[in-house]
Structures are given as C-alpha cells and as structure tokens.
Amino acid sequence: MHIALVGMMASGKSSIGKVLSKSMNIPFLDIDKEIEFHEKRSIKSIFETNGESYFRKIESKIITDCLEKKISTVIALGGGAFLNAAVRKNVNEKSISVWLDVNIETIITRVKKNKNRPLVENKSDKEIMKLYEKRLKYYEMAKIHIDCNKKNKTICAEELISKLKKIGINENN
Ligand code: S3P
C-alpha cells in the first residue's frame, strides 16, 4: 500500500516523507521532483511559461503513474494536488492518504524563505491565509491526520508509523 502525504506547501511532506521512507524501508517519491524531471524544467518555469492549468494536468498524470507502481512507496504530493476530486479519489483508492497539519503562521514563515513556490510568490499573508482556508476541507478528507505543530520531523514520522501499524500497514506491505 502506498502512503500519500498531503497538506499545504512547506508542511514537511518531503522531509517527513524521507524519514518515513528510511524508517519503513520503502522508497520515497516527490511528485514535484518527478514533474521537474519529466518536464526538464523547474515548477516555477512551468507555471511561468504554461500556467497553472497545464501544471495541474501534468501533476495529475504523474500522480496516476506513481500510484500504478507495484512496490509500496511514500509519495509526497504537491500542496494543491489533493484538491482535485479525481486525484483525491485515485489517491484514496490506491494509497493511504495522510494530512500533515501545520498551522498557517508557520507555513507563511516557511514559504517566505523559499522562492520556488510560484503560487504564493508576491502574495500577502492574508492571501496565503485565504488559500489555506479554502484548502482545509480537502486536506481534512485524508484518511490519517498528523498534527505536526511544534514537533520535529522524526516525531511526526514516528507518530505516523504508529498510526499506520494500528491499521495493519507495516514495512514493505
Ligand atoms: C503547490 C505546491 C507545490 C507545487 C506547486 C503548487 C500548491 O508543492 O506543487 O508549486 O498548489 O500548493 P509543495 O507543496 O511541495 O510546495
């Protein structure tokens, strides 16, 4: 069973995903990285040249391909992927979805440090907050919820592993 990490940008999907992958001994896939590899350019350049709707199409195709893999994988989705009903359905059928919940104040601080997120570039705190509020109901649809506030990535991964064990998901199954 794949494990799909969802949540706002900068919620720790990649960093917690890597810890999880190591601890559970299953491979890690970052959808943003897969998109960049497939397109041979950065996410920022895809947004700038072809716009968001083009990006979303590629994103959903790459997610579909990754979910087809026979080997169980930890998959870090981009922050907007789970908003799409078809993606969400596919993710929930072929993986266990996990929402990494981080408060919006922390998200805002983190995204300001990284310039490779075109969707929030030049956006005010209020606008980022609005985006988050619009997205919450979708993130809440994930099967597992991990409160990541004031916890480091190892603790978050440990909490997730223990929740996964309770529903019978262990290493390599
Ligand atoms: C996006 C999040 C990004 C990336 C793209 C759009 C979003 O991924 O997919 O910039 O809509 O929230 P991260 O969540 O890994 O930053």
Side-chain angles (χ1 to χ4, degrees):
M1 180 69 118
H2 300 299
I3 301 158
L5 304 179
V6 311
M8 258 318 246
M9 44 195 107
S11 57
K13 300 182 293 286
S14 302
S15 54
I16 295 169
K18 283 177 194 161
V19 176
L20 195 68
S21 150
K22 240 186 179 171
S23 310
M24 294 183 79
N25 194 28
I26 57 180
F28 172 72
L29 265 180
D30 186 321
I31 296 297
D32 284 347
K33 294 267 180 303
E34 293 297 307
I35 295 170
E36 290 182 331
F37 178 75
H38 182 268
E39 286 280 305
K40 299 182 182 63
R41 55 194 171 134
S42 68
I43 302 281
K44 191 177 157 88
S45 150
I46 301 171
F47 267 77
E48 279 169 5
T49 316
N50 301 84
E52 183 175 351
S53 65
Y54 175 86
F55 171 80
R56 296 297 174 199
K57 260 188 231 154
I58 303 288
E59 180 181 49
S60 102
K61 191 194 171 300
I62 302 258
I63 293 171
T64 303
D65 292 349
C66 289
L67 290 169
E68 289 305 320
K69 288 186 198 301
K70 294 279 174 283
I71 301 173
S72 291
T73 308
V74 177
I75 304 171
L77 298 187
F82 208 59
L83 276 60
N84 176 315
V87 169
R88 210 165 50 239
K89 182 169 182 281
N90 202 10
V91 167
N92 277 333
E93 277 170 7
K94 299 190 179 119
S95 73
I96 177 95
S97 53
V98 180
W99 172 33
L100 301 181
D101 178 8
V102 176
N103 69 68
I104 188 60
E105 291 76 20
T106 306
I107 296 287
I108 290 172
T109 312
R110 289 184 191 167
V111 294
K112 284 194 169 155
K113 286 186 194 150
N114 183 322
K115 296 271 171 270
N116 198 25
R117 291 197 167 97
L119 215 62
V120 290
E121 216 178 38
N122 308 319
K123 290 263 192 316
S124 68
D125 291 5
K126 217 174 160 187
E127 286 170 311
I128 301 176
M129 195 102 67
K130 270 195 177 160
L131 184 71
Y132 172 74
E133 281 162 4
K134 261 172 61 186
R135 289 178 166 194
L136 261 184
K137 63 172 181 282
Y138 301 105
Y139 297 147
E140 283 167 354
M141 290 177 196
K143 293 275 155 35
I144 294 182
H145 174 200
I146 301 289
D147 178 353
C148 297
N149 292 295
K150 300 197 186 101
K151 291 172 195 159
N152 67 34
K153 58 185 178 183
T154 312
I155 302 288
C156 295
E158 279 170 3
E159 268 186 34
L160 176 50
I161 290 168
S162 102
K163 286 196 177 187
L164 289 168
K165 274 189 185 150
K166 280 188 191 144
I167 54 167
I169 299 177
N170 297 294
E171 292 182 12
N172 297 320
N173 72 359

